[in-house]
Amino acid sequence: MKFYITKISFLLLLSTMLFASCETEESLTITAPEAEFVLNTPGISTVFLNFALPDNPAFTLSWEDEVTGSSSYTVEMAADAEFTSPFTLGTTEAKNFSMTVAEFNNAIANSGATTFRDVPVYIRVSAGSEISNSILLLATRYPTDAPVISSPLAGDTFVLSIGSVDDTVLTVNWTDAVLESSLGTDINYIIEAATAGTDFASPVSIGTTTNASTVSSTHSELNAVAIGIGLTPEVAGNMDIRIVAKNTNSGGSELTRISDALTISVTPYLSAFPNLYVVGDATSPGWSNDNNNTPLFRNQDVPNNYVYVGYFGAGAFKLLETKGAWQPQWGGTNDGAALAVNTGSGSDPGTFNIATAGYYSYNFTTVGESGSFTVEAYDASAAPTYTSMAIIGDATPNGWDGDNDTNFTQDTNNPHLWYINGVTLTNGGFILIRANDDWADVWRYSGSNQLYGKANLSGDGDNIPFNAETGSYDFWFNDLDGSYNIIPN
């Protein structure tokens, strides 16, 4: 009997345990995660907006929405985590959103941001009344608004005087929000001038400055600019001026912002500009400063503009104002576009460099003690090569005697360059330039009453007038473009 009772007790105990176990299992509750509307944190928290890549994506955001079931989302930004003044970036039907560099940069500017580095941008997404969490991006943006000229005013008049060459006559002031904030880089300003209505096709610099908002010009400096853009001495002319702001970002890209232009009236005074002569191993005289140095040809329409189309050997050259003297000496700068001069009290400028021998077209514009130049290759392959070149006319030694022209000497390195040294020319007479001692190729008057100009190659037209004092002159002529210089000895 004991054995039987024990067995029954064990079964009762096992039954009780199984019942208790089933009762506990039925009381467990499995809870599913709450539905979320959450903006995912991007992999980066800083955004550098590079103005050189405006179409690149600035950022891409994505989010999870298990709450709204919406098919339309609004992406908002604000300057603070409380979204006191939210600003809409855009809308989308997808659960992701991106903006280009230019779009995001403009959005930050339109939101009222006044700084440029580490601008806090809080972003969130909304769908109806539901709003996601927010994320923080620190953006470094670039300026887009141009400087604004505050003085002079449009229509202001400036009459320049040779008796006040060192007095300040023009002060250009401007405002620029960039100067009042932390951009983290220098801002270089160039004040440019151009003939009114030319859209700054050939601008001339009035002055430059860095991280400042004013540039002044003397009577002499502004006169050089006025003549340089083509205004006529002693006649009021319209000059457009503008501000060009430039800065370079950490990636080496340059950003340019240009102000609106305004027009002022400037009356320049008459000023003489010197002849300029080449010197250097790329030219015929070599590095001798008194070796029949070739002059640049002066633009008959712009007094301080010089042109030269011709052959250069591989090497370098500079420009001199006086043959036999090393100063004033003009040369290039490291940027390959600006002119520099040593008037005699400073350091000599750099050289103009010719890497490959050949024909080139140079254009020089001097402005005070600076200026600019351009150079490009010139194709002379179709130009005829003449065996002789001469002048004829009643201003020349042998008058109109067609059998006794006054011949040029041909340059040894450039068959298109011709010169006569020490020729006597007579006041009140006329000159024609002709090739090969006949009338087939004749260069005639093209409107210049100066001792320089550009003659026209044509079968008809006026003779070139010579209205200077009777005396001895050096006569230079370039048959590639018809340029000539008559230089008194």
Side-chain angles (χ1 to χ4, degrees):
M1 286 298 291
K2 287 184 177 179
F3 176 76
Y4 177 76
I5 292 172
T6 302
K7 186 174 183 180
I8 294 297
S9 298
F10 175 75
L11 291 174
L12 289 173
L13 177 61
L14 179 61
S15 175
T16 301
M17 291 176 64
L18 289 172
F19 178 78
S21 175
C22 291
E23 185 176 38
T24 301
E25 185 175 328
E26 288 178 358
S27 68
L28 292 176
T29 301
I30 299 175
T31 304
E34 291 187 11
E36 291 183 313
F37 179 26
V38 60
L39 178 59
N40 298 321
T41 302
I44 59 171
S45 60
T46 59
V47 179
F48 173 77
L49 299 175
N50 187 350
F51 52 76
L53 302 169
D55 297 325
N56 277 19
F59 64 82
T60 298
L61 302 176
S62 65
W63 53 90
E64 307 295 335
D65 182 8
E66 301 168 341
V67 176
T68 72
S70 177
S71 61
S72 178
Y73 298 93
T74 299
V75 181
E76 297 178 329
M77 65 169 280
D80 61 317
E82 291 75 27
F83 283 78
T84 305
S85 300
F87 183 85
T88 299
L89 291 179
T91 60
T92 180
E93 296 179 356
K95 293 185 177 65
N96 56 71
F97 180 80
S98 64
M99 296 190 81
T100 66
V101 168
E103 290 170 339
F104 192 36
N105 191 77
N106 290 335
I108 297 173
N110 293 336
S111 70
T114 58
T115 59
F116 293 91
R117 303 178 65 187
D118 295 331
V119 181
V121 178
Y122 293 87
I123 299 178
R124 69 184 183 185
V125 182
S126 65
S129 61
E130 296 292 333
I131 298 175
S132 75
N133 60 307
S134 66
I135 62 168
L136 171 63
L137 298 178
L138 294 178
T140 296
R141 67 185 182 99
Y142 55 88
T144 55
D145 293 334
V148 177
I149 299 175
S150 54
S151 68
L153 301 178
D156 282 355
T157 298
F158 300 88
V159 179
L160 307 180
S161 171
I162 198 170
S164 305
V165 291
D166 295 326
D167 295 342
T168 298
V169 64
L170 171 69
T171 299
V172 181
N173 295 306
W174 60 92
T175 58
D176 188 1
V178 178
L179 287 178
E180 302 170 5
S181 62
S182 177
L183 183 62
T185 184
D186 287 337
I187 308 296
N188 299 311
Y189 296 95
I190 306 166
I191 298 80
E192 291 186 338
T195 306
T198 61
D199 197 27
F200 291 86
S202 300
V204 171
S205 173
I206 293 177
T208 62
T209 188
T210 299
N211 299 335
S213 58
T214 184
V215 163
S216 295
S217 179
T218 65
H219 283 256
S220 174
E221 291 166 341
L222 189 58
N223 194 74
V225 171
I227 297 299
I229 65 172
L231 299 189
T232 303
E234 313 298 340
V235 177
N238 288 330
M239 174 189 293
D240 285 346
I241 62 174
R242 69 182 183 182
I243 311 296
V244 178
K246 296 184 177 183
N247 65 277
T248 303
N249 67 15
S250 58
S253 299
E254 185 176 72
L255 174 66
T256 299
R257 296 173 295 127
I258 302 176
S259 74
D260 290 336
L262 62 82
T263 304
I264 59 176
S265 173
V266 178
T267 303
Y269 55 82
L270 186 62
S271 177
F273 287 87
N275 287 300
L276 295 177
Y277 302 87
V278 300
V279 64
D281 57 1
T283 68
S284 294
W287 284 110
S288 172
N289 64 6
D290 194 12
N291 186 25
N292 195 37
N293 300 71
T294 307
L296 299 181
F297 293 96
R298 298 170 62 176
N299 189 326
Q300 68 184 44
D301 299 314
V302 182
N304 64 333
N305 179 239
Y306 304 81
V307 295
Y308 186 83
V309 179
Y311 180 83
F312 291 87
F317 72 98
K318 293 184 178 184
L319 305 175
L320 303 175
E321 288 190 18
T322 305
K323 288 188 293 185
W326 285 108
Q327 284 86 27
Q329 178 188 120
W330 291 81
T333 61
N334 290 334
D335 66 1
L339 291 177
V341 63
N342 177 9
T343 59
S345 59
S347 300
D348 288 345
T351 57
F352 306 103
N353 300 311
I354 308 294
T356 304
Y359 284 86
Y360 295 88
S361 175
Y362 272 91
N363 188 298
F364 304 89
T365 299
T366 61
V367 180
E369 294 183 6
S370 62
S372 61
F373 75 95
T374 61
V375 58
E376 57 185 18
Y378 182 86
D379 184 2
S381 60
T385 300
Y386 300 103
T387 57
S388 70
M389 193 70 63
I391 56 174
I392 189 172
D394 52 3
T396 70
N398 299 313
W400 291 107
D401 184 354
D403 295 325
N404 197 16
D405 296 10
T406 303
N407 288 322
F408 286 95
T409 298
Q410 192 175 42
D411 186 89
T412 55
N413 295 316
N414 181 0
H416 302 287
L417 180 64
W418 308 83
Y419 61 91
I420 309 173
N421 289 329
V423 62
T424 299
L425 301 177
T426 303
N427 173 264
F430 293 90
I431 301 171
L432 288 179
I433 302 171
R434 67 176 188 164
N436 300 335
D437 294 327
D438 63 32
W439 300 103
D441 294 303
V442 178
W443 284 263
R444 298 180 183 272
Y445 179 65
S446 63
S448 175
N449 291 311
Q450 307 296 325
L451 294 179
Y452 51 88
K454 183 175 287 189
N456 289 326
L457 177 61
S458 62
D460 52 28
D462 295 331
N463 301 324
I464 301 170
F466 182 76
N467 297 317
E469 182 180 347
T470 298
S472 176
Y473 294 83
D474 292 340
F475 201 130
W476 290 81
F477 176 64
N478 185 351
D479 69 50
L480 288 175
D481 64 356
S483 294
Y484 66 89
N485 263 352
I486 305 173
I487 303 172
N489 289 322

